[in-house]
Amino acid sequence: MKISLKTSQTSGSALIVLTDAKQIESKEFTAALPQLATLIEATQYKANLNEILPLIGLNQHYPFCSFIGLGQDDELNASKMAKLAQSIIQLAQRKYATLDLDITHLPASLHYVFTLALTQANYAFDEYKSKKNEAQLEHIHLIGSTLSENQIELIHAIQSGQNLARDLGNRPGNICYPEYLAKLAQELADEFPDQLKVTVLDEQQMADLGMNAFLAVSQGSAHAGRVITLEYLPNREEAPVVLVGKGVTFDTGGISLKPSANMDEMKFDMCGAASVLGTIRALCEAKLPIHIVGAIAAAENMPSSKATRPGDIVTTMSGQTVEILNTDAEGRLVLCDTLTYIKRFNPAVVVDIATLTGACVVALGKVVSGLFSSDDDLAQEIQTAGEQSFDRVWRLPVMDDYQELLDSPFADIANIGGPHGGAITAACFLQRFTRDYRWAHLDIAGTAWLSGANKGSTGRPVPLLMQFIANRSQHD
Ligand code: BES
Ligand code: MN
Ligand code: ZN
């Protein structure tokens, strides 16, 4: 969906005007149009937040015209923008291709997150439905927006990257498997040949590098694993930001098999990888001048006669040995070797993104992603980007005191830490492989997808990652 700016109301098929309570109560406002005063009086319209008042036949320039309430100014915040955007999209979607939207009365500080929320609300996924959704909203003209052309361009790029991440998350495991992700990365590089360089490691190459923790996950599956790297602006000299995504295209748990209920949702276990691909796509479109590497650990976790057994011990690429006590703690196994592999890019900072633990969902629910880092400056940078893009995180500790929970009697480290602090011990496991660079870990198990009525991938944290990168590209 395209967003563009317009200075005033003109004419078209549909107009929505955001109104606040003060405006509705003002005598001057209603005096201009007596019928409007009658309508407001008759319907007792108060312009409460999300309250709709259709003005059919009252605006000669727009056959469809409606007010949507903003309530009281001082009660508005970024959280409320998502619902507001949904109400607006619901009114217009499947009816109009273009919409004029007057946001003059929305506080300017909310224009950015609100506009981003419009693009997010307009997403629909019908790839596998025989009967397709009716026409989507294609174009919104914002009236009274304070956004700059640069901000609009950034929003367009984020939309494109986030929608890609959502599409990938929503595609099932029989279609979206490691090789598929590698093919998609290659296609992205073909589309942006001047900006992107893609490399793909197959399992033989991984074996040669000693990535045995990774291979312990993919060995049970008929679909071979892949490590995919996408280097954005490979010719830039500065040390890159490296984004590492967990790409478990389906997580059955392996021999430590998961229960059947809701196991279908484990097709979303590649949402970290999807957010990396989405961010790289957004970067190519926004053309930000900054050196970024995306790395994807793509594998399928299956039980079979070739699958890893609980108790198996492997030597990771870093040389540390791991006792795999639970084959369902597979994310950290594919990630640890990928986090060692990406050292060759000499990263300035590394951020990994993973649907890593159910414990993180228990701790933080579906509102914020878990942020783990022992680097306060980096953590602060990510938190700030989360607030700016309304794709928020909450910091949890990674302290050495938790490391002993990962002790193993037989190897250097176990891959699970027992029942306490599961999200933290998972982060502590990764930390053992990231001591050579500045690092942060995002556990997106709660935020990457929704269940229930709105089931589907959210495309988070593409907005956060793009904001983080955009902030950095301005400073450098
Ligand atoms: N992909 C899951 C994490 C997950 C679980 C995400 C539920 C979203 C919802 C991960 O691979 C996993 O299975 N983690 C285990 C770790 C445990 C065995 C230490 C978990 O969280 O139960
Ligand atoms: Mn698992
Ligand atoms: Zn998993």
Side-chain angles (χ1 to χ4, degrees):
M1 180 176 69
K2 193 168 155 31
I3 304 281
S4 51
L5 305 180
K6 215 169 173 175
T7 46
S8 58
Q9 296 178 16
T10 51
S11 66
S13 46
L15 169 71
I16 291 177
V17 183
L18 303 186
T19 52
D20 56 30
K22 244 191 270 135
Q23 188 188 15
I24 293 300
E25 285 158 16
S26 118
K27 289 274 175 304
E28 294 140 53
F29 176 67
T30 46
L33 196 59
Q35 288 148 297
L36 182 59
T38 315
L39 186 63
I40 289 172
E41 173 64 26
T43 56
Q44 286 293 298
Y45 182 68
K46 297 279 186 285
N48 290 329
L49 186 61
N50 295 330
E51 193 186 356
I52 297 167
L53 179 68
L55 307 176
I56 308 304
L58 287 189
N59 189 323
Q60 62 192 68
H61 306 290
Y62 294 92
F64 175 82
C65 176
S66 178
F67 283 175
I68 293 193
L70 286 172
Q72 305 289 343
D73 243 26
D74 48 6
E75 289 170 3
L76 284 175
N77 57 34
S79 294
K80 293 181 174 157
M81 292 302 105
K83 282 233 169 64
L84 179 64
Q86 280 158 17
S87 314
I88 292 165
I89 297 296
Q90 245 169 38
L91 264 186
Q93 209 177 28
R94 298 187 193 126
K95 291 187 190 135
Y96 313 107
T98 63
L99 170 71
D100 284 12
L101 177 59
D102 192 330
I103 63 169
T104 312
H105 286 271
L106 185 69
S109 61
L110 294 171
H111 284 194
Y112 183 78
V113 286
F114 169 71
T115 309
L116 199 54
L118 284 174
T119 67
Q120 290 159 346
N122 194 46
Y123 176 83
F125 184 77
D126 61 5
E127 274 180 15
Y128 305 108
K129 296 270 196 194
S130 310
K131 192 168 174 294
K132 301 293 177 198
N133 289 334
E134 281 136 68
Q136 294 291 306
L137 194 52
E138 283 161 17
H139 199 154
I140 294 183
H141 300 278
L142 292 177
I143 299 152
S145 168
T146 56
L147 296 182
S148 66
E149 282 302 331
N150 272 345
Q151 285 176 303
I152 299 281
E153 255 175 58
L154 187 61
I155 288 172
H156 283 145
I158 293 172
Q159 170 182 232
S160 170
Q162 191 169 11
N163 286 353
L164 171 63
R166 294 174 86 168
D167 286 348
L168 286 175
N170 288 332
R171 283 174 199 154
N174 64 326
I175 289 165
C176 178
Y177 45 84
E179 245 180 297
Y180 174 90
L181 288 178
K183 195 178 99 217
L184 204 117
Q186 195 52 62
E187 284 168 6
L188 199 59
D190 295 342
E191 191 178 341
F192 299 99
D194 301 333
Q195 287 145 279
L196 262 194
K197 187 175 146 208
V198 165
T199 62
V200 178
L201 297 184
D202 63 21
E203 291 200 338
Q204 185 56 55
Q205 290 166 301
M206 283 187 245
D208 294 344
L209 287 163
M211 302 177 79
N212 299 308
F214 188 116
L215 293 169
V217 175
S218 62
Q219 74 188 36
S221 170
H223 289 300
R226 294 284 186 268
V227 174
I228 306 156
T229 62
L230 305 99
E231 190 171 6
Y232 172 73
L233 303 188
N235 298 325
R236 282 181 74 93
E237 274 168 16
E238 87 259 14
V241 172
V242 180
L243 306 174
V244 178
K246 171 178 173 183
V248 173
T249 58
F250 198 84
D251 180 13
T252 64
I255 297 299
S256 312
L257 193 64
K258 285 184 180 295
S260 329
N262 303 323
M263 204 208 273
D264 65 289
E265 294 193 357
M266 284 300 129
K267 72 173 179 179
F268 295 120
D269 212 16
M270 35 56 73
C271 281
S275 76
V276 171
L277 279 163
T279 301
I280 297 286
R281 166 154 212 116
L283 275 170
C284 291
E285 293 190 14
K287 300 191 167 57
L288 297 183
I290 186 169
H291 192 189
I292 306 285
V293 173
I296 288 168
E300 185 181 53
N301 190 20
M302 288 294 230
S304 80
S305 67
K306 292 186 185 164
T308 292
R309 294 154 285 263
D312 282 2
I313 295 174
V314 294
T315 303
T316 63
M317 185 176 174
S318 72
Q320 300 174 80
T321 58
V322 176
E323 184 184 18
I324 302 175
L325 289 175
N326 189 319
T327 63
D328 197 11
E330 85 297 340
R332 60 199 80 182
L333 297 175
V334 294
L335 286 172
C336 72
D337 278 338
T338 309
L339 287 165
T340 304
Y341 175 74
I342 52 92
K343 282 207 273 188
R344 66 192 53 212
F345 291 102
N346 295 317
V349 298
V350 177
V351 181
D352 79 71
I353 308 104
T355 49
L356 202 62
T357 65
C360 191
V361 193
V362 173
L364 298 176
K366 296 198 150 273
V367 176
V368 292
S369 305
L371 165 66
F372 303 81
S373 181
S374 51
D375 184 321
D376 290 340
D377 293 336
L378 179 57
Q380 186 57 56
E381 238 183 287
I382 294 173
Q383 279 172 308
T384 302
E387 297 296 332
Q388 290 170 320
S389 58
F390 198 61
D391 185 357
R392 293 166 300 171
V393 300
W394 199 262
R395 194 171 175 191
L396 293 170
V398 258
M399 292 160 189
D400 287 345
D401 311 59
Y402 290 94
Q403 286 290 355
E404 64 194 43
L405 294 170
L406 293 167
D407 285 350
S408 153
F410 300 113
D412 298 340
I413 179 174
N415 81 325
I416 53 170
H420 298 155
I424 299 170
T425 50
C428 284
F429 182 95
L430 298 178
Q431 190 180 35
R432 298 223 187 183
F433 300 84
T434 60
R435 300 269 191 205
D436 294 344
Y437 44 69
R438 298 181 69 195
W439 164 77
H441 157 62
L442 291 170
D443 194 331
I444 59 164
T447 53
W449 76 86
L450 301 174
S451 311
N454 298 321
K455 185 168 180 173
S457 165
T458 61
R460 289 176 70 184
V462 170
L464 162 71
L465 295 171
M466 273 305 280
Q467 190 70 50
F468 171 72
I469 293 168
N471 292 350
R472 282 198 152 234
S473 78
Q474 273 161 15
H475 294 154
D476 300 337

